[in-house]
Amino acid sequence: MPAAAASDDARRIALEILEELDKGRTTLDRLMEKALGAHSHLQRRDRALVFALTYGVQRWRRRLDWVAAHFASRPFSRIDPTVRNILRLALFQILFFSRVPPAAAVHTAVEMTKAKVRPAAPFVNALLRNALRHRAQVPFPDPAKDPVAALGVELSFPDWILARWMTRDGAAATRARCEAANRIPLLTVRANTLKIDRERLAADWSGRELDVRPTLMAPDGIVVGGFQGAVDTLAGFAEGYFQVQDEAAQLAGLILAPQPGERILDACAGLGGKTGHLAALAADRACIVATDRSPDRLAALQIEMRRLGVCGVETRIADWTAAPAPRDEPAFDKILIDAPCSGLGVLGRNPDARWHRRQADLTRYARRQQAILANLADLLKPGGTLVYVVCSIEPEESIDVIGSFLHQRPDYTLPAPPAPLVSRIGRLIRADGAILTDPGRDPLDGFYMACLKRTKRA
């Protein structure tokens, strides 16, 4: 296939993904995985183009819409949804994507419009050519009059998120957090120490001309710079030498510190990113029960454990928001609760979430998180450890949830972390003993983690 035709195919796929995303039925990463799986003929260069366009549009959507609305001859909200996404794709290439000549972006957008919504082609052509000539003259909100709207348009964030961050943390911290979320995140993986150590894996990748460096705090992590493409094409994937896992997420396993012979519950296991880490930390000699309410996720987890060479994991379907554990369930030495949350700490990796989340979601997630803690609290042995994790730094989902739980359960405490952990991640530890990573301050995703101890029976 000629290069130009392949690139046009990549833009068409990007448009299809954006249209599906607007329906709100699933997330961008899942749509991306599905779309690229259905178009396996794409070369690496064009797969990377699909990633760049779709994720770029989602990061900069509000700013793109502002520019489009300025040049539109009708209210932006009344433009056909498909045409809106075509305009976003073209404007992203014009404003942020130097790889594509602006004139080519305009031409491709017009041709896509002719194929999808033909009567709108002259409108798209006129708007984009006008934007191409006069984009430097677009007026933006005045920071002196409306600092929230001004920052929201400049850095493409919804007002409700910015307003709460500015009120709580100040304008400088808010700007830093938004700028971090708009940077393309580097791929971070964890070497699967059941099969290989970090040094050997990094040396192998360096020999293949990959730009690699060790993570700063997690002892088994590797940051891979400049890699664009499917992770399963990396050397060592099929052999199970690594899992994709952000450094902050790797800290959760280190905090729980699983040991051989322990009985451990991974209560919201999902696809098994943290499950694999727990197994590796315990040398695959712990009894790990991985539960999730989705049979599909557990099936994917089982496949992932086989790839990693993990044997000591049992899977069960369970919804811990709905009911407590059965009375005959043996107690666990350790419990990991990677609770469902708003995901506002990982907006850099999931830029679509900023447009789909609402203020009310924080309260809804907090209720679920409180229910999970309450339903699992009696499953931990006295003297055991429970680690609560959310990829959010919002108080409703973090300190408020743990504060309420400790008030209701005097048999639980939040002690100071052990000295070895303090020496590794000391600057992330709050005064109350919990761990908080802030993307605007730390080169990590945003996580809150609380390592609770059960001191006695309730």
Side-chain angles (χ1 to χ4, degrees), residues 160-161 164 342 344 356-368 396-397:
W160 76 268
I161 294 178
R164 65 184 282 119
S342 67
L344 293 186
H356 296 146
R357 290 285 178 255
R358 298 291 180 268
Q359 179 92 19
D361 292 338
L362 299 177
T363 302
R364 178 169 59 86
Y365 276 113
R367 285 197 294 265
R368 294 177 65 186
E396 293 94 326
E397 303 181 276

Side-chain angles (χ1 to χ4, degrees), residues 21 48 57 61 71 119 186 191 194 199 218 220 253-254 267 276 365 431 435:
L21 194 60
V57 165
R61 197 175 89 169
F71 292 109
L186 297 176
L194 295 176
E199 290 69 29
D220 301 317
L254 300 178
Y365 276 113
I435 290 92

Side-chain angles (χ1 to χ4, degrees), residues 192 194-195 239-240 284 304-312:
N192 176 19
L194 295 176
K195 294 189 171 186
E239 294 82 359
D284 200 22
E304 180 71 348
M305 293 306 106
R306 286 196 292 271
R307 183 181 74 86
L308 298 172
V310 171
C311 300

